[in-house]
Amino acid sequence: MINRLATMIKFGIVGVMNTAVDALVFTMLAALGTPALIAQVISYSCGVLNSYWWNGRWTFRDARRQGPNNELLRFVITNLIVLALSSLILFLSNNILDLNLVISKAAATLLGMILNYIASRYWVFRVVSATAPYPNTDTNERSVS
């Protein structure tokens, strides 16, 4: 329980760092005259890369992760799905439910953080059982007893 709480706190700290990276890169690019949409894509991507680096090396640093094979791909897929779902929540809450934009953004961000944590913990940076062999060999082979 304490270990899971520590992981959640680390995930939150990395999230704050990602937001700072995103904001700083966006601000610098905008100050240089980069169009807002291009600045947004670049700055968001920098935040995602920061997230992958810190979550993989600190937040979910378990010694028996399933290995780096496809980890980056799973991370990108997760972030694209979370981005789509949080954008949908933002749109629905602001435009359909007519909630304040700040409240809508907060709700979308909170939902995104929860979904991202669940996907990161149980899919992207999944920990294998301590009794299971390291995954990297033929998993289709069965032992005959």
PDB file of all heavy atoms in Angstrom, residues 73-112:
ATOM      1  N   LEU A  73       6.228   2.339 -27.662  1.00  0.00           N
ATOM      2  CA  LEU A  73       5.012   2.272 -28.476  1.00  0.00           C
ATOM      3  C   LEU A  73       3.768   2.253 -27.589  1.00  0.00           C
ATOM      4  O   LEU A  73       2.805   2.986 -27.847  1.00  0.00           O
ATOM      5  CB  LEU A  73       5.031   1.040 -29.375  1.00  0.00           C
ATOM      6  CG  LEU A  73       3.799   0.822 -30.240  1.00  0.00           C
ATOM      7  CD1 LEU A  73       3.589   1.995 -31.204  1.00  0.00           C
ATOM      8  CD2 LEU A  73       3.911  -0.485 -31.000  1.00  0.00           C
ATOM      9  N   ARG A  74       3.786   1.458 -26.533  1.00  0.00           N
ATOM     10  CA  ARG A  74       2.647   1.416 -25.603  1.00  0.00           C
ATOM     11  C   ARG A  74       2.446   2.772 -24.939  1.00  0.00           C
ATOM     12  O   ARG A  74       1.326   3.217 -24.728  1.00  0.00           O
ATOM     13  CB  ARG A  74       2.858   0.323 -24.550  1.00  0.00           C
ATOM     14  CG  ARG A  74       2.728  -1.078 -25.102  1.00  0.00           C
ATOM     15  CD  ARG A  74       2.726  -2.132 -24.003  1.00  0.00           C
ATOM     16  NE  ARG A  74       3.902  -2.088 -23.159  1.00  0.00           N
ATOM     17  CZ  ARG A  74       5.033  -2.730 -23.389  1.00  0.00           C
ATOM     18  NH1 ARG A  74       5.145  -3.504 -24.443  1.00  0.00           N
ATOM     19  NH2 ARG A  74       6.043  -2.636 -22.559  1.00  0.00           N
ATOM     20  N   PHE A  75       3.551   3.453 -24.628  1.00  0.00           N
ATOM     21  CA  PHE A  75       3.467   4.772 -24.011  1.00  0.00           C
ATOM     22  C   PHE A  75       2.817   5.781 -24.955  1.00  0.00           C
ATOM     23  O   PHE A  75       1.947   6.550 -24.562  1.00  0.00           O
ATOM     24  CB  PHE A  75       4.869   5.238 -23.597  1.00  0.00           C
ATOM     25  CG  PHE A  75       4.880   6.536 -22.863  1.00  0.00           C
ATOM     26  CD1 PHE A  75       4.584   6.578 -21.512  1.00  0.00           C
ATOM     27  CD2 PHE A  75       5.169   7.713 -23.518  1.00  0.00           C
ATOM     28  CE1 PHE A  75       4.586   7.781 -20.826  1.00  0.00           C
ATOM     29  CE2 PHE A  75       5.175   8.919 -22.841  1.00  0.00           C
ATOM     30  CZ  PHE A  75       4.888   8.950 -21.493  1.00  0.00           C
ATOM     31  N   VAL A  76       3.240   5.777 -26.218  1.00  0.00           N
ATOM     32  CA  VAL A  76       2.679   6.706 -27.207  1.00  0.00           C
ATOM     33  C   VAL A  76       1.193   6.409 -27.428  1.00  0.00           C
ATOM     34  O   VAL A  76       0.369   7.323 -27.451  1.00  0.00           O
ATOM     35  CB  VAL A  76       3.470   6.639 -28.532  1.00  0.00           C
ATOM     36  CG1 VAL A  76       2.758   7.387 -29.639  1.00  0.00           C
ATOM     37  CG2 VAL A  76       4.874   7.200 -28.333  1.00  0.00           C
ATOM     38  N   ILE A  77       0.847   5.133 -27.565  1.00  0.00           N
ATOM     39  CA  ILE A  77      -0.562   4.755 -27.740  1.00  0.00           C
ATOM     40  C   ILE A  77      -1.388   5.234 -26.553  1.00  0.00           C
ATOM     41  O   ILE A  77      -2.461   5.818 -26.725  1.00  0.00           O
ATOM     42  CB  ILE A  77      -0.705   3.228 -27.932  1.00  0.00           C
ATOM     43  CG1 ILE A  77      -0.134   2.816 -29.292  1.00  0.00           C
ATOM     44  CG2 ILE A  77      -2.157   2.783 -27.785  1.00  0.00           C
ATOM     45  CD1 ILE A  77       0.024   1.314 -29.466  1.00  0.00           C
ATOM     46  N   THR A  78      -0.880   5.002 -25.351  1.00  0.00           N
ATOM     47  CA  THR A  78      -1.587   5.446 -24.141  1.00  0.00           C
ATOM     48  C   THR A  78      -1.822   6.946 -24.168  1.00  0.00           C
ATOM     49  O   THR A  78      -2.937   7.417 -23.917  1.00  0.00           O
ATOM     50  CB  THR A  78      -0.780   5.062 -22.881  1.00  0.00           C
ATOM     51  OG1 THR A  78      -0.745   3.648 -22.776  1.00  0.00           O
ATOM     52  CG2 THR A  78      -1.393   5.657 -21.627  1.00  0.00           C
ATOM     53  N   ASN A  79      -0.777   7.712 -24.484  1.00  0.00           N
ATOM     54  CA  ASN A  79      -0.912   9.164 -24.474  1.00  0.00           C
ATOM     55  C   ASN A  79      -1.829   9.678 -25.570  1.00  0.00           C
ATOM     56  O   ASN A  79      -2.542  10.660 -25.362  1.00  0.00           O
ATOM     57  CB  ASN A  79       0.464   9.829 -24.530  1.00  0.00           C
ATOM     58  CG  ASN A  79       1.082   9.911 -23.161  1.00  0.00           C
ATOM     59  OD1 ASN A  79       0.767  10.801 -22.388  1.00  0.00           O
ATOM     60  ND2 ASN A  79       1.919   8.949 -22.822  1.00  0.00           N
ATOM     61  N   LEU A  80      -1.845   9.037 -26.711  1.00  0.00           N
ATOM     62  CA  LEU A  80      -2.779   9.445 -27.766  1.00  0.00           C
ATOM     63  C   LEU A  80      -4.225   9.167 -27.352  1.00  0.00           C
ATOM     64  O   LEU A  80      -5.112   9.998 -27.577  1.00  0.00           O
ATOM     65  CB  LEU A  80      -2.439   8.739 -29.084  1.00  0.00           C
ATOM     66  CG  LEU A  80      -1.155   9.196 -29.761  1.00  0.00           C
ATOM     67  CD1 LEU A  80      -0.854   8.304 -30.967  1.00  0.00           C
ATOM     68  CD2 LEU A  80      -1.234  10.662 -30.168  1.00  0.00           C
ATOM     69  N   ILE A  81      -4.459   8.025 -26.738  1.00  0.00           N
ATOM     70  CA  ILE A  81      -5.809   7.692 -26.268  1.00  0.00           C
ATOM     71  C   ILE A  81      -6.245   8.637 -25.158  1.00  0.00           C
ATOM     72  O   ILE A  81      -7.373   9.152 -25.168  1.00  0.00           O
ATOM     73  CB  ILE A  81      -5.884   6.217 -25.812  1.00  0.00           C
ATOM     74  CG1 ILE A  81      -5.752   5.293 -27.031  1.00  0.00           C
ATOM     75  CG2 ILE A  81      -7.180   5.932 -25.054  1.00  0.00           C
ATOM     76  CD1 ILE A  81      -5.570   3.829 -26.686  1.00  0.00           C
ATOM     77  N   VAL A  82      -5.352   8.883 -24.202  1.00  0.00           N
ATOM     78  CA  VAL A  82      -5.680   9.799 -23.104  1.00  0.00           C
ATOM     79  C   VAL A  82      -5.925  11.206 -23.638  1.00  0.00           C
ATOM     80  O   VAL A  82      -6.859  11.890 -23.199  1.00  0.00           O
ATOM     81  CB  VAL A  82      -4.589   9.774 -22.015  1.00  0.00           C
ATOM     82  CG1 VAL A  82      -4.793  10.891 -21.010  1.00  0.00           C
ATOM     83  CG2 VAL A  82      -4.591   8.424 -21.302  1.00  0.00           C
ATOM     84  N   LEU A  83      -5.122  11.643 -24.595  1.00  0.00           N
ATOM     85  CA  LEU A  83      -5.333  12.959 -25.203  1.00  0.00           C
ATOM     86  C   LEU A  83      -6.704  13.032 -25.864  1.00  0.00           C
ATOM     87  O   LEU A  83      -7.439  14.007 -25.679  1.00  0.00           O
ATOM     88  CB  LEU A  83      -4.233  13.259 -26.224  1.00  0.00           C
ATOM     89  CG  LEU A  83      -4.382  14.555 -27.017  1.00  0.00           C
ATOM     90  CD1 LEU A  83      -4.364  15.767 -26.096  1.00  0.00           C
ATOM     91  CD2 LEU A  83      -3.295  14.650 -28.079  1.00  0.00           C
ATOM     92  N   ALA A  84      -7.078  12.002 -26.606  1.00  0.00           N
ATOM     93  CA  ALA A  84      -8.388  11.989 -27.268  1.00  0.00           C
ATOM     94  C   ALA A  84      -9.525  11.993 -26.247  1.00  0.00           C
ATOM     95  O   ALA A  84     -10.492  12.759 -26.381  1.00  0.00           O
ATOM     96  CB  ALA A  84      -8.491  10.770 -28.180  1.00  0.00           C
ATOM     97  N   LEU A  85      -9.422  11.157 -25.211  1.00  0.00           N
ATOM     98  CA  LEU A  85     -10.489  11.082 -24.209  1.00  0.00           C
ATOM     99  C   LEU A  85     -10.592  12.360 -23.386  1.00  0.00           C
ATOM    100  O   LEU A  85     -11.692  12.840 -23.101  1.00  0.00           O
ATOM    101  CB  LEU A  85     -10.281   9.881 -23.291  1.00  0.00           C
ATOM    102  CG  LEU A  85     -10.501   8.513 -23.933  1.00  0.00           C
ATOM    103  CD1 LEU A  85     -10.116   7.397 -22.971  1.00  0.00           C
ATOM    104  CD2 LEU A  85     -11.939   8.356 -24.402  1.00  0.00           C
ATOM    105  N   SER A  86      -9.447  12.925 -23.002  1.00  0.00           N
ATOM    106  CA  SER A  86      -9.503  14.162 -22.220  1.00  0.00           C
ATOM    107  C   SER A  86     -10.015  15.321 -23.073  1.00  0.00           C
ATOM    108  O   SER A  86     -10.736  16.188 -22.572  1.00  0.00           O
ATOM    109  CB  SER A  86      -8.151  14.479 -21.596  1.00  0.00           C
ATOM    110  OG  SER A  86      -7.168  14.692 -22.578  1.00  0.00           O
ATOM    111  N   SER A  87      -9.699  15.322 -24.360  1.00  0.00           N
ATOM    112  CA  SER A  87     -10.240  16.352 -25.257  1.00  0.00           C
ATOM    113  C   SER A  87     -11.750  16.201 -25.397  1.00  0.00           C
ATOM    114  O   SER A  87     -12.487  17.192 -25.428  1.00  0.00           O
ATOM    115  CB  SER A  87      -9.579  16.262 -26.635  1.00  0.00           C
ATOM    116  OG  SER A  87      -8.204  16.529 -26.543  1.00  0.00           O
ATOM    117  N   LEU A  88     -12.221  14.959 -25.473  1.00  0.00           N
ATOM    118  CA  LEU A  88     -13.661  14.706 -25.544  1.00  0.00           C
ATOM    119  C   LEU A  88     -14.354  15.184 -24.269  1.00  0.00           C
ATOM    120  O   LEU A  88     -15.401  15.840 -24.337  1.00  0.00           O
ATOM    121  CB  LEU A  88     -13.918  13.217 -25.768  1.00  0.00           C
ATOM    122  CG  LEU A  88     -15.379  12.793 -25.829  1.00  0.00           C
ATOM    123  CD1 LEU A  88     -16.079  13.430 -27.031  1.00  0.00           C
ATOM    124  CD2 LEU A  88     -15.482  11.277 -25.887  1.00  0.00           C
ATOM    125  N   ILE A  89     -13.782  14.879 -23.115  1.00  0.00           N
ATOM    126  CA  ILE A  89     -14.355  15.337 -21.840  1.00  0.00           C
ATOM    127  C   ILE A  89     -14.383  16.860 -21.781  1.00  0.00           C
ATOM    128  O   ILE A  89     -15.381  17.460 -21.368  1.00  0.00           O
ATOM    129  CB  ILE A  89     -13.563  14.768 -20.638  1.00  0.00           C
ATOM    130  CG1 ILE A  89     -13.702  13.257 -20.566  1.00  0.00           C
ATOM    131  CG2 ILE A  89     -13.974  15.421 -19.325  1.00  0.00           C
ATOM    132  CD1 ILE A  89     -15.133  12.757 -20.390  1.00  0.00           C
ATOM    133  N   LEU A  90     -13.311  17.487 -22.208  1.00  0.00           N
ATOM    134  CA  LEU A  90     -13.254  18.952 -22.234  1.00  0.00           C
ATOM    135  C   LEU A  90     -14.359  19.517 -23.128  1.00  0.00           C
ATOM    136  O   LEU A  90     -15.095  20.418 -22.730  1.00  0.00           O
ATOM    137  CB  LEU A  90     -11.882  19.415 -22.724  1.00  0.00           C
ATOM    138  CG  LEU A  90     -11.668  20.917 -22.830  1.00  0.00           C
ATOM    139  CD1 LEU A  90     -11.689  21.550 -21.450  1.00  0.00           C
ATOM    140  CD2 LEU A  90     -10.350  21.207 -23.526  1.00  0.00           C
ATOM    141  N   PHE A  91     -14.495  18.958 -24.319  1.00  0.00           N
ATOM    142  CA  PHE A  91     -15.513  19.430 -25.254  1.00  0.00           C
ATOM    143  C   PHE A  91     -16.922  19.215 -24.700  1.00  0.00           C
ATOM    144  O   PHE A  91     -17.752  20.130 -24.695  1.00  0.00           O
ATOM    145  CB  PHE A  91     -15.378  18.712 -26.603  1.00  0.00           C
ATOM    146  CG  PHE A  91     -16.492  19.039 -27.550  1.00  0.00           C
ATOM    147  CD1 PHE A  91     -16.472  20.226 -28.263  1.00  0.00           C
ATOM    148  CD2 PHE A  91     -17.560  18.173 -27.713  1.00  0.00           C
ATOM    149  CE1 PHE A  91     -17.514  20.546 -29.130  1.00  0.00           C
ATOM    150  CE2 PHE A  91     -18.601  18.484 -28.572  1.00  0.00           C
ATOM    151  CZ  PHE A  91     -18.578  19.673 -29.284  1.00  0.00           C
ATOM    152  N   LEU A  92     -17.193  18.000 -24.231  1.00  0.00           N
ATOM    153  CA  LEU A  92     -18.535  17.691 -23.731  1.00  0.00           C
ATOM    154  C   LEU A  92     -18.909  18.522 -22.508  1.00  0.00           C
ATOM    155  O   LEU A  92     -20.013  19.065 -22.438  1.00  0.00           O
ATOM    156  CB  LEU A  92     -18.656  16.203 -23.390  1.00  0.00           C
ATOM    157  CG  LEU A  92     -18.610  15.233 -24.562  1.00  0.00           C
ATOM    158  CD1 LEU A  92     -18.604  13.793 -24.057  1.00  0.00           C
ATOM    159  CD2 LEU A  92     -19.767  15.470 -25.522  1.00  0.00           C
ATOM    160  N   SER A  93     -17.998  18.627 -21.561  1.00  0.00           N
ATOM    161  CA  SER A  93     -18.327  19.359 -20.339  1.00  0.00           C
ATOM    162  C   SER A  93     -18.469  20.855 -20.597  1.00  0.00           C
ATOM    163  O   SER A  93     -19.329  21.508 -20.011  1.00  0.00           O
ATOM    164  CB  SER A  93     -17.302  19.085 -19.238  1.00  0.00           C
ATOM    165  OG  SER A  93     -16.022  19.488 -19.655  1.00  0.00           O
ATOM    166  N   ASN A  94     -17.676  21.390 -21.507  1.00  0.00           N
ATOM    167  CA  ASN A  94     -17.742  22.826 -21.779  1.00  0.00           C
ATOM    168  C   ASN A  94     -18.858  23.180 -22.762  1.00  0.00           C
ATOM    169  O   ASN A  94     -19.589  24.142 -22.532  1.00  0.00           O
ATOM    170  CB  ASN A  94     -16.398  23.327 -22.303  1.00  0.00           C
ATOM    171  CG  ASN A  94     -16.362  24.822 -22.476  1.00  0.00           C
ATOM    172  OD1 ASN A  94     -16.241  25.322 -23.580  1.00  0.00           O
ATOM    173  ND2 ASN A  94     -16.474  25.548 -21.377  1.00  0.00           N
ATOM    174  N   ASN A  95     -19.014  22.406 -23.816  1.00  0.00           N
ATOM    175  CA  ASN A  95     -19.962  22.761 -24.875  1.00  0.00           C
ATOM    176  C   ASN A  95     -21.340  22.133 -24.720  1.00  0.00           C
ATOM    177  O   ASN A  95     -22.329  22.738 -25.101  1.00  0.00           O
ATOM    178  CB  ASN A  95     -19.383  22.395 -26.246  1.00  0.00           C
ATOM    179  CG  ASN A  95     -18.156  23.218 -26.565  1.00  0.00           C
ATOM    180  OD1 ASN A  95     -18.092  24.397 -26.265  1.00  0.00           O
ATOM    181  ND2 ASN A  95     -17.157  22.574 -27.146  1.00  0.00           N
ATOM    182  N   ILE A  96     -21.423  20.938 -24.197  1.00  0.00           N
ATOM    183  CA  ILE A  96     -22.711  20.267 -24.049  1.00  0.00           C
ATOM    184  C   ILE A  96     -23.310  20.530 -22.660  1.00  0.00           C
ATOM    185  O   ILE A  96     -24.471  20.899 -22.533  1.00  0.00           O
ATOM    186  CB  ILE A  96     -22.585  18.746 -24.303  1.00  0.00           C
ATOM    187  CG1 ILE A  96     -21.957  18.465 -25.670  1.00  0.00           C
ATOM    188  CG2 ILE A  96     -23.930  18.047 -24.138  1.00  0.00           C
ATOM    189  CD1 ILE A  96     -22.714  19.020 -26.855  1.00  0.00           C
ATOM    190  N   LEU A  97     -22.497  20.344 -21.623  1.00  0.00           N
ATOM    191  CA  LEU A  97     -22.972  20.572 -20.262  1.00  0.00           C
ATOM    192  C   LEU A  97     -22.868  22.038 -19.854  1.00  0.00           C
ATOM    193  O   LEU A  97     -23.360  22.423 -18.797  1.00  0.00           O
ATOM    194  CB  LEU A  97     -22.192  19.704 -19.269  1.00  0.00           C
ATOM    195  CG  LEU A  97     -22.306  18.190 -19.469  1.00  0.00           C
ATOM    196  CD1 LEU A  97     -21.419  17.453 -18.482  1.00  0.00           C
ATOM    197  CD2 LEU A  97     -23.755  17.750 -19.356  1.00  0.00           C
ATOM    198  N   ASP A  98     -22.226  22.848 -20.678  1.00  0.00           N
ATOM    199  CA  ASP A  98     -22.090  24.283 -20.481  1.00  0.00           C
ATOM    200  C   ASP A  98     -21.397  24.631 -19.150  1.00  0.00           C
ATOM    201  O   ASP A  98     -21.753  25.605 -18.497  1.00  0.00           O
ATOM    202  CB  ASP A  98     -23.461  24.972 -20.573  1.00  0.00           C
ATOM    203  CG  ASP A  98     -23.341  26.448 -20.903  1.00  0.00           C
ATOM    204  OD1 ASP A  98     -22.358  26.824 -21.577  1.00  0.00           O
ATOM    205  OD2 ASP A  98     -24.220  27.229 -20.483  1.00  0.00           O
ATOM    206  N   LEU A  99     -20.386  23.820 -18.788  1.00  0.00           N
ATOM    207  CA  LEU A  99     -19.602  24.115 -17.600  1.00  0.00           C
ATOM    208  C   LEU A  99     -18.527  25.138 -17.949  1.00  0.00           C
ATOM    209  O   LEU A  99     -18.115  25.256 -19.103  1.00  0.00           O
ATOM    210  CB  LEU A  99     -18.947  22.849 -17.048  1.00  0.00           C
ATOM    211  CG  LEU A  99     -19.891  21.765 -16.522  1.00  0.00           C
ATOM    212  CD1 LEU A  99     -19.103  20.529 -16.118  1.00  0.00           C
ATOM    213  CD2 LEU A  99     -20.713  22.292 -15.352  1.00  0.00           C
ATOM    214  N   ASN A 100     -18.061  25.844 -16.947  1.00  0.00           N
ATOM    215  CA  ASN A 100     -16.985  26.810 -17.104  1.00  0.00           C
ATOM    216  C   ASN A 100     -15.768  26.131 -17.727  1.00  0.00           C
ATOM    217  O   ASN A 100     -15.476  24.974 -17.427  1.00  0.00           O
ATOM    218  CB  ASN A 100     -16.655  27.377 -15.712  1.00  0.00           C
ATOM    219  CG  ASN A 100     -15.502  28.338 -15.732  1.00  0.00           C
ATOM    220  OD1 ASN A 100     -14.360  27.926 -15.886  1.00  0.00           O
ATOM    221  ND2 ASN A 100     -15.816  29.612 -15.573  1.00  0.00           N
ATOM    222  N   LEU A 101     -15.026  26.852 -18.577  1.00  0.00           N
ATOM    223  CA  LEU A 101     -13.871  26.279 -19.257  1.00  0.00           C
ATOM    224  C   LEU A 101     -12.804  25.795 -18.278  1.00  0.00           C
ATOM    225  O   LEU A 101     -12.212  24.725 -18.468  1.00  0.00           O
ATOM    226  CB  LEU A 101     -13.265  27.291 -20.243  1.00  0.00           C
ATOM    227  CG  LEU A 101     -12.090  26.793 -21.078  1.00  0.00           C
ATOM    228  CD1 LEU A 101     -12.502  25.592 -21.925  1.00  0.00           C
ATOM    229  CD2 LEU A 101     -11.554  27.909 -21.955  1.00  0.00           C
ATOM    230  N   VAL A 102     -12.567  26.535 -17.215  1.00  0.00           N
ATOM    231  CA  VAL A 102     -11.554  26.136 -16.229  1.00  0.00           C
ATOM    232  C   VAL A 102     -11.974  24.845 -15.533  1.00  0.00           C
ATOM    233  O   VAL A 102     -11.166  23.930 -15.352  1.00  0.00           O
ATOM    234  CB  VAL A 102     -11.305  27.266 -15.199  1.00  0.00           C
ATOM    235  CG1 VAL A 102     -10.390  26.806 -14.084  1.00  0.00           C
ATOM    236  CG2 VAL A 102     -10.744  28.500 -15.890  1.00  0.00           C
ATOM    237  N   ILE A 103     -13.242  24.738 -15.168  1.00  0.00           N
ATOM    238  CA  ILE A 103     -13.747  23.512 -14.527  1.00  0.00           C
ATOM    239  C   ILE A 103     -13.690  22.349 -15.512  1.00  0.00           C
ATOM    240  O   ILE A 103     -13.290  21.236 -15.154  1.00  0.00           O
ATOM    241  CB  ILE A 103     -15.186  23.728 -14.001  1.00  0.00           C
ATOM    242  CG1 ILE A 103     -15.159  24.729 -12.845  1.00  0.00           C
ATOM    243  CG2 ILE A 103     -15.816  22.404 -13.579  1.00  0.00           C
ATOM    244  CD1 ILE A 103     -16.530  25.186 -12.388  1.00  0.00           C
ATOM    245  N   SER A 104     -14.042  22.599 -16.751  1.00  0.00           N
ATOM    246  CA  SER A 104     -13.986  21.558 -17.782  1.00  0.00           C
ATOM    247  C   SER A 104     -12.568  21.074 -17.987  1.00  0.00           C
ATOM    248  O   SER A 104     -12.308  19.872 -18.090  1.00  0.00           O
ATOM    249  CB  SER A 104     -14.550  22.092 -19.103  1.00  0.00           C
ATOM    250  OG  SER A 104     -15.898  22.465 -18.953  1.00  0.00           O
ATOM    251  N   LYS A 105     -11.625  22.006 -18.059  1.00  0.00           N
ATOM    252  CA  LYS A 105     -10.207  21.649 -18.233  1.00  0.00           C
ATOM    253  C   LYS A 105      -9.705  20.874 -17.028  1.00  0.00           C
ATOM    254  O   LYS A 105      -8.981  19.887 -17.169  1.00  0.00           O
ATOM    255  CB  LYS A 105      -9.371  22.916 -18.450  1.00  0.00           C
ATOM    256  CG  LYS A 105      -7.892  22.699 -18.530  1.00  0.00           C
ATOM    257  CD  LYS A 105      -7.496  21.865 -19.728  1.00  0.00           C
ATOM    258  CE  LYS A 105      -5.965  21.792 -19.837  1.00  0.00           C
ATOM    259  NZ  LYS A 105      -5.535  20.754 -20.751  1.00  0.00           N
ATOM    260  N   ALA A 106     -10.089  21.281 -15.829  1.00  0.00           N
ATOM    261  CA  ALA A 106      -9.678  20.575 -14.619  1.00  0.00           C
ATOM    262  C   ALA A 106     -10.217  19.146 -14.609  1.00  0.00           C
ATOM    263  O   ALA A 106      -9.499  18.196 -14.272  1.00  0.00           O
ATOM    264  CB  ALA A 106     -10.139  21.335 -13.376  1.00  0.00           C
ATOM    265  N   ALA A 107     -11.472  18.981 -14.995  1.00  0.00           N
ATOM    266  CA  ALA A 107     -12.074  17.646 -15.043  1.00  0.00           C
ATOM    267  C   ALA A 107     -11.374  16.772 -16.079  1.00  0.00           C
ATOM    268  O   ALA A 107     -11.072  15.603 -15.822  1.00  0.00           O
ATOM    269  CB  ALA A 107     -13.559  17.747 -15.348  1.00  0.00           C
ATOM    270  N   ALA A 108     -11.105  17.336 -17.244  1.00  0.00           N
ATOM    271  CA  ALA A 108     -10.426  16.589 -18.300  1.00  0.00           C
ATOM    272  C   ALA A 108      -9.005  16.211 -17.877  1.00  0.00           C
ATOM    273  O   ALA A 108      -8.548  15.090 -18.126  1.00  0.00           O
ATOM    274  CB  ALA A 108     -10.404  17.409 -19.587  1.00  0.00           C
ATOM    275  N   THR A 109      -8.324  17.126 -17.219  1.00  0.00           N
ATOM    276  CA  THR A 109      -6.957  16.869 -16.759  1.00  0.00           C
ATOM    277  C   THR A 109      -6.942  15.789 -15.688  1.00  0.00           C
ATOM    278  O   THR A 109      -6.107  14.876 -15.720  1.00  0.00           O
ATOM    279  CB  THR A 109      -6.308  18.164 -16.234  1.00  0.00           C
ATOM    280  OG1 THR A 109      -6.285  19.123 -17.299  1.00  0.00           O
ATOM    281  CG2 THR A 109      -4.908  17.926 -15.727  1.00  0.00           C
ATOM    282  N   LEU A 110      -7.858  15.868 -14.734  1.00  0.00           N
ATOM    283  CA  LEU A 110      -7.930  14.865 -13.675  1.00  0.00           C
ATOM    284  C   LEU A 110      -8.227  13.480 -14.261  1.00  0.00           C
ATOM    285  O   LEU A 110      -7.562  12.497 -13.907  1.00  0.00           O
ATOM    286  CB  LEU A 110      -8.993  15.246 -12.645  1.00  0.00           C
ATOM    287  CG  LEU A 110      -9.169  14.280 -11.482  1.00  0.00           C
ATOM    288  CD1 LEU A 110      -7.873  14.156 -10.686  1.00  0.00           C
ATOM    289  CD2 LEU A 110     -10.296  14.753 -10.576  1.00  0.00           C
ATOM    290  N   LEU A 111      -9.206  13.403 -15.152  1.00  0.00           N
ATOM    291  CA  LEU A 111      -9.521  12.126 -15.784  1.00  0.00           C
ATOM    292  C   LEU A 111      -8.302  11.610 -16.558  1.00  0.00           C
ATOM    293  O   LEU A 111      -7.965  10.425 -16.483  1.00  0.00           O
ATOM    294  CB  LEU A 111     -10.717  12.263 -16.731  1.00  0.00           C
ATOM    295  CG  LEU A 111     -11.032  11.000 -17.527  1.00  0.00           C
ATOM    296  CD1 LEU A 111     -11.579   9.913 -16.610  1.00  0.00           C
ATOM    297  CD2 LEU A 111     -12.004  11.295 -18.645  1.00  0.00           C
ATOM    298  N   GLY A 112      -7.628  12.508 -17.280  1.00  0.00           N
ATOM    299  CA  GLY A 112      -6.445  12.121 -18.036  1.00  0.00           C
ATOM    300  C   GLY A 112      -5.349  11.580 -17.138  1.00  0.00           C
ATOM    301  O   GLY A 112      -4.696  10.588 -17.470  1.00  0.00           O
TER     302      GLY A 112
END
